[in-house]
Amino acid sequence: MNEHVSSRSTKRAESITHRIASLALYGGTPAVPPGTVTPWPAPKKEHLDALAAVLESGKYHRVNHPIVADLEKRLAQWTGHWAVRAVGSGTAALHIALDHYKNRGHRVLTAALNWPGAVGPISISGLEPTFVDVELNLAGIKPDTASEMLEPGVAAVLTTHLFGNNIFAPSLRAAARARGVALIDDVCQSVAATTRVVDGDYIDSDVLALSGNGAKHLGAGELGFLLTRDIPLIEHVDEVSLTSSSRDSARIFSPNSQGYNYRPNVLSCSIADYRVKHLDQQLYERRANAAALWQGICHLPGLLPLFDPSDKHNSVLSFPLRIVPEELGFPSGPAARDLILKLLQAEGVPVWLWLTKPVFDYLPSTRGRWSDGDFPNTMMLLDTMFYVSEIAPPNDADVIRLYVDAFHKIWEVFPSLTSKLAEAK
Ligand SMILES: *Cc1c(COP(=O)(O)O)cnc(C)c1O
């Protein structure tokens, strides 16, 4: 063999071995030093002040503390469109909405890739979920398939907006409207979907359910909201959720109460109230972080966004991606994603797997009654997706740069890493 070539390939092999050894998973130094990343809900002194003000007032009930109504008004104003009622959780908001529209049919169309908490309330309301596959770009319900399934008996379409994405689905909304099917939107992960996101207009929906829990934008504790322009639905909130409805201080026992007591927590409301005041800034920073991260990694092969990089109204609750295993020399299936997840986690990047099964496998009422094979896109995403969780402030461009470095460090060893792993088998 030509000596020159042989020494060059030896050198290259050495440098690849060196690079693999530099990965944190194999003993190298992590790209993101421990302690660099601030996890959401990123507590601040102002949150303590807000809590203290409620504690000192001694008023812990929605009826006697004005902060609940103030928060409802502030959030309504922020959206510029919807009437708002606070309840105990996002799940409670969905249950109340479904309960209100349940007379329109007995089934609810919703995506198979979904949050169990979004689907549980369908059965709680005495309705039956009918699952629809998702499209691959935003992980939203497949509009064409869902439109074809709008048969008599369908009471509502429950559209879940995951990760901060906006699921517009205009054709599905129009088709549902034409048939008197209710449009319910789970925007627990996409607070900005309550604003003018559709070319300057609002999403055509009957009701949007929002969560204030610690993982979401309002990061407040247990809390949820219904946003609607359907005034009877606003009135229905008390019927489902209060034993006694006493908005105007006089305690009136409702003759129709279902007594779920989905009352909003006043302490949570105080934090949410502070957060709404700063929501535009929070979204601005999340979007700036997401844009910087995507710009840093978008050219890496085998990596696709599970969001629309051109949607300026994305709420960026998290930063979802998916792997194309074949482009990285892997067979289809979860192996590539699982390895990348481990490598990134070792580098200190806050990346996570989300669900690993279609939503019907998580719920006792639907388990075993639906077949994975009928939902190919859902299954493909479940095998290939993951997300960066900490994309919110106070994490900033400096933190994002470290995430980008970690991705690059890992991608530099592809495909050598793939062949190394194959040899090791
Ligand atoms: C968080 C969440 C819910 C439920 O909200 P809670 O306030 O936790 O009850 C429902 N749907 C989706 C998509 C969510 O992310």
Side-chain angles (χ1 to χ4, degrees), residues 6-305:
S6 131
S7 92
R8 205 170 24 176
S9 63
T10 312
K11 260 202 195 126
R12 198 189 304 134
E14 274 170 10
S15 114
I16 285 163
T17 310
H18 178 77
R19 276 199 216 149
I20 291 178
S22 80
L23 294 175
L25 187 62
Y26 304 119
T29 309
V32 185
T36 315
V37 179
T38 307
W40 194 253
K44 281 187 177 181
K45 165 146 191 325
E46 287 84 348
H47 303 151
L48 270 181
D49 295 344
L51 291 172
V54 174
L55 291 179
E56 283 157 16
S57 77
K59 296 174 181 168
Y60 289 5
H61 197 284
R62 70 165 301 147
V63 178
N64 64 12
H65 204 302
I67 198 157
V68 181
D70 286 353
L71 168 61
E72 290 171 340
K73 206 160 103 193
R74 195 184 303 286
L75 191 54
Q77 272 167 359
W78 183 77
T79 72
H81 185 65
W82 307 102
V84 175
R85 280 301 294 274
V87 290
S89 68
T91 309
L94 285 165
H95 173 200
I96 295 165
L98 287 157
D99 190 81
H100 183 64
Y101 293 115
K102 70 181 175 192
N103 296 333
R104 296 196 186 184
H106 60 275
R107 289 191 297 124
V108 176
L109 301 185
T110 199
L113 182 73
N114 217 323
W115 180 242
V119 175
I122 298 175
S123 311
I124 300 174
S125 312
L127 295 160
E128 202 184 304
T130 298
F131 296 101
V132 184
D133 205 2
V134 292
E135 44 75 33
L136 292 173
N137 294 324
L138 305 177
I141 190 167
K142 250 184 139 174
D144 297 351
T145 312
S147 296
E148 283 163 22
M149 294 164 75
L150 287 168
E151 295 145 3
V154 174
V157 176
L158 171 58
T159 302
T160 306
H161 303 236
L162 294 174
F163 315 121
N165 289 338
N166 294 306
I167 308 300
F168 300 117
S171 59
L172 172 59
R173 290 176 195 276
R177 279 269 176 261
R179 287 170 174 76
V181 171
L183 290 164
I184 302 176
D185 284 83
D186 177 344
V187 300
C188 289
Q189 300 192 9
S190 296
V191 66
T194 63
T195 64
R196 292 181 185 275
V197 292
V198 195
D199 298 328
D201 210 344
Y202 293 88
I203 280 184
D204 180 17
S205 177
D206 289 304
V207 54
L208 303 99
L210 185 63
S211 170
N213 90 23
K216 314 291 165 70
H217 296 87
L218 296 178
E222 304 310 329
L223 186 62
F225 303 90
L226 289 107
L227 296 92
T228 182
R229 290 172 75 85
D230 184 350
I231 298 310
L233 171 53
I234 292 281
E235 285 159 6
H236 191 61
V237 174
D238 283 358
E239 290 182 0
V240 177
S241 64
L242 294 184
T243 313
S244 61
S245 103
S246 42
R247 289 223 119 217
D248 304 317
S249 295
R251 195 162 278 272
I252 301 158
F253 287 86
S254 160
N256 301 317
S257 174
Q258 298 182 38
Y260 279 92
N261 283 340
Y262 288 153
R263 290 185 303 263
N265 182 318
V266 177
L267 292 159
S268 299
C269 286
S270 71
I271 295 181
D273 197 48
Y274 174 82
R275 297 253 203 213
V276 175
K277 288 179 199 161
H278 303 274
L279 195 48
D280 285 327
Q281 183 65 23
Q282 183 197 137
L283 288 168
Y284 174 83
E285 291 179 39
R286 284 179 183 268
R287 287 166 184 155
N289 283 343
L293 180 51
W294 183 239
Q295 199 191 358
I297 63 174
C298 62
H299 58 282
L300 297 176
L303 194 62
L304 291 176

Side-chain angles (χ1 to χ4, degrees), residues 283-350:
L283 288 168
Y284 174 83
E285 291 179 39
R286 284 179 183 268
R287 287 166 184 155
N289 283 343
L293 180 51
W294 183 239
Q295 199 191 358
I297 63 174
C298 62
H299 58 282
L300 297 176
L303 194 62
L304 291 176
L306 206 48
F307 57 92
D308 174 3
S310 72
D311 182 0
K312 299 286 177 278
H313 300 285
N314 194 300
S315 299
V316 194
L317 184 70
S318 58
F319 186 88
L321 295 164
R322 78 176 162 101
I323 297 293
V324 186
E326 296 80 359
E327 282 186 31
L328 295 168
F330 279 82
S332 60
R337 188 269 319 274
D338 292 349
L339 174 64
I340 287 166
L341 199 71
K342 257 202 275 180
L343 289 163
L344 283 167
Q345 281 173 341
E347 296 299 337
V349 184

